Amino acid sequence: MERRTRTTVTALTSAALLAGTMGAAIAVVDPAPHSGRAKTSGFAPGPGRPEHAPLTAKATATGVRAWQEFRVYGSARDLRPGTRVALQQRQGKHWVTLPASMNTTRKATYRMRVHLGLQGRNTLRIVGGGRASAPFTVHVR
């Protein structure tokens, strides 16, 4: 029992120190009572849980005038708060990163202002943390 308490206190102290300097979410490791292996709490992948949760992305408008402002918002669960997310546009066969990016909030969400000038159907997506959202379209007239 003493060893378990010491391990938990050490883990909590380390987590508090790291959270104070980095501001990141940390899972606390607590040894399992009957086995010698440690189990983690938090968002660790497990049975039935995907390894990488996708980014979500939605636009406030499906059609806008050229250079009219609209917003793209969504969540980036399982990514550290403060992760940089950027907007990409499909141009031919390639995804081109546009100059619209921001860091995610403490709750791992984002909401960015966007202005598009390329008329027609624009296929967009959000990328960040090595992940990409499902593509969505905005028609610019």
Side-chain angles (χ1 to χ4, degrees):
M1 183 69 166
E2 181 181 340
R3 182 177 177 200
R4 180 178 177 184
T5 304
R6 192 175 331 132
T7 304
T8 305
V9 170
T10 304
L12 287 174
T13 304
S14 299
L17 288 173
L18 289 173
T21 59
M22 296 172 38
I26 298 171
V28 177
V29 177
D30 187 23
H34 297 292
S35 68
R37 298 183 341 206
K39 69 178 188 179
T40 58
S41 60
F43 294 105
R49 179 177 268 167
E51 175 107 11
H52 296 291
L55 292 169
T56 62
K58 293 183 181 179
T60 57
T62 56
V64 294
R65 293 186 313 271
W67 303 112
Q68 179 184 356
E69 180 180 296
F70 66 96
R71 293 180 187 253
V72 175
Y73 64 96
S75 65
R77 285 187 249 200
D78 294 346
L79 289 182
R80 286 184 10 183
T83 300
R84 194 81 170 161
V85 292
L87 181 69
Q88 287 188 337
Q89 181 182 45
R90 180 86 176 187
Q91 294 180 1
K93 294 182 179 182
H94 302 284
W95 287 100
V96 177
T97 302
L98 299 177
S101 63
M102 68 175 299
N103 294 335
T104 58
T105 64
R106 275 195 254 171
K107 295 182 179 182
T109 61
Y110 63 90
R111 186 172 175 90
M112 68 175 69
R113 299 177 197 185
V114 180
H115 300 266
L116 293 175
L118 186 61
Q119 293 186 348
R121 182 178 166 199
N122 289 273
T123 304
L124 306 167
R125 72 178 182 180
I126 296 290
V127 295
R131 299 178 183 137
S133 70
F136 60 96
T137 58
V138 175
H139 185 77
V140 178
R141 36 181 204 281

